[in-house]
Amino acid sequence: MDKQVRQLATELYSKAKIEDDHKMITETDLAGLPDPVRRYLTQTGVIGRPRISTVRLKQEGFFRTKPDQKWMPMRAVEYYSVDPPAFLWHGRIKMLPFLSIQARDRFDTGAGHMLIKLLAFTLGDVRGPELDQGALVRYFNEMMWFPTAFLSEFIQWEGIDAHSAKGTIRIGETSASAVLHFTETGQFANFVAERYMSTGDTFSLETWSTPVDDYAEMGGLHLPVSGEGVWHLSAGDFSYIRLRITELEYDKPVPY
């Protein structure tokens, strides 16, 4: 899978529109945004910087598939383009000291695709409209790591109150909405959306959130770098992933 991921990352980057690095973001660019989104972008430090075109990053953390399951160590790399919106995630989840599951999650041309393998065996190969929606929600959420993307024309914003705003993103025929929450100081606090969850051979639309618990300077911006993913189910909340960004680079369109 490593070779295939590098090939797909190269393809993703080849399609990316490269922004003019001499055209800097100004306060005027932020003027039409809801106040909490504008404050958030200001505190990240985007003013005076060019818009981001591509991203690559590394993650470490833990993953599980059931609430009563032990946490399994996880390492991952991820690649993004802002225009067109796309991501490619490749993770290794260690089941045993010498046995890992590999997972590849992809969003490209408005479509999602999840592939899961154990050695030579395919454990999951999922496509379809529910996965498209789920991948789009994920992409919208992960813009917290390349926040100039919040200025993209395919997002419509609506203010809610002093510390939250609703965003709706549309790519092709697929759209999704989320409520973004911010702290008193303007930092990103949480992202809450209705997202399709895979439950065996079917999907169910559930509430999903990604509360943030730490921040750091990365890529020259002040960003959320640690948090978790939580499904809010009728049986109770299910935290299934905890991760930290360990490395992040902008506009270096070369696979790891």
Side-chain angles (χ1 to χ4, degrees), residues 74-118:
M74 179 201 74
R75 291 178 181 267
V77 298
E78 193 161 10
Y79 308 98
Y80 306 86
S81 74
V82 174
D83 186 9
F87 74 76
L88 175 65
W89 179 87
H90 179 211
R92 285 185 173 84
I93 301 164
K94 186 177 290 187
M95 299 176 61
L96 296 169
F98 302 102
L99 188 64
S100 295
I101 292 174
Q102 290 198 68
R104 191 195 75 205
D105 197 8
R106 187 184 182 199
F107 181 72
D108 185 41
T109 61
H113 181 206
M114 171 68 79
L115 180 66
I116 304 170
K117 284 185 171 286
L118 177 62

Side-chain angles (χ1 to χ4, degrees), residues 69 93 145 201:
Q69 187 180 52
I93 301 164
W145 298 323
D201 295 331

Side-chain angles (χ1 to χ4, degrees), residues 20-27 29 46-51:
D20 182 356
D21 60 5
H22 297 292
K23 185 178 180 181
M24 303 302 174
I25 293 171
T26 67
E27 292 186 3
D29 295 315
V46 302
I47 293 176
R49 294 176 58 99
R51 296 195 186 206

Side-chain angles (χ1 to χ4, degrees), residues 119-135:
L119 302 176
F121 301 98
T122 298
L123 304 182
D125 189 352
V126 186
R127 304 174 190 262
E130 294 88 357
L131 195 67
D132 297 345
Q133 188 268 0

Side-chain angles (χ1 to χ4, degrees), residues 63-219:
F63 189 87
R64 61 183 179 178
T65 59
K66 297 177 182 178
D68 58 353
Q69 187 180 52
K70 290 180 62 176
W71 287 99
M72 297 177 286
M74 179 201 74
R75 291 178 181 267
V77 298
E78 193 161 10
Y79 308 98
Y80 306 86
S81 74
V82 174
D83 186 9
F87 74 76
L88 175 65
W89 179 87
H90 179 211
R92 285 185 173 84
I93 301 164
K94 186 177 290 187
M95 299 176 61
L96 296 169
F98 302 102
L99 188 64
S100 295
I101 292 174
Q102 290 198 68
R104 191 195 75 205
D105 197 8
R106 187 184 182 199
F107 181 72
D108 185 41
T109 61
H113 181 206
M114 171 68 79
L115 180 66
I116 304 170
K117 284 185 171 286
L118 177 62
L119 302 176
F121 301 98
T122 298
L123 304 182
D125 189 352
V126 186
R127 304 174 190 262
E130 294 88 357
L131 195 67
D132 297 345
Q133 188 268 0
L136 180 58
V137 171
R138 173 176 178 166
Y139 182 82
F140 190 12
N141 171 71
E142 293 179 359
M143 286 181 187
M144 70 173 85
W145 298 323
F146 46 106
T148 66
F150 284 131
L151 298 171
S152 301
E153 61 183 14
F154 46 79
I155 303 175
Q156 293 184 327
W157 293 102
E158 176 185 344
I160 295 177
D161 56 34
H163 303 296
S164 62
K166 178 181 178 181
T168 299
I169 183 170
R170 177 177 293 276
I171 307 297
E173 298 300 315
T174 305
S175 66
S177 296
V179 176
L180 284 66
H181 299 270
F182 305 91
T183 68
E184 292 282 346
T185 57
Q187 294 176 315
F188 197 103
N190 202 355
F191 177 103
V192 182
E194 297 301 301
R195 182 184 183 190
Y196 279 102
M197 178 184 184
S198 176
T199 53
D201 295 331
T202 62
F203 287 88
S204 60
L205 192 62
E206 306 288 353
T207 302
W208 178 75
S209 70
T210 59
V212 171
D213 58 30
D214 197 14
Y215 308 86
E217 292 285 335
M218 300 197 84

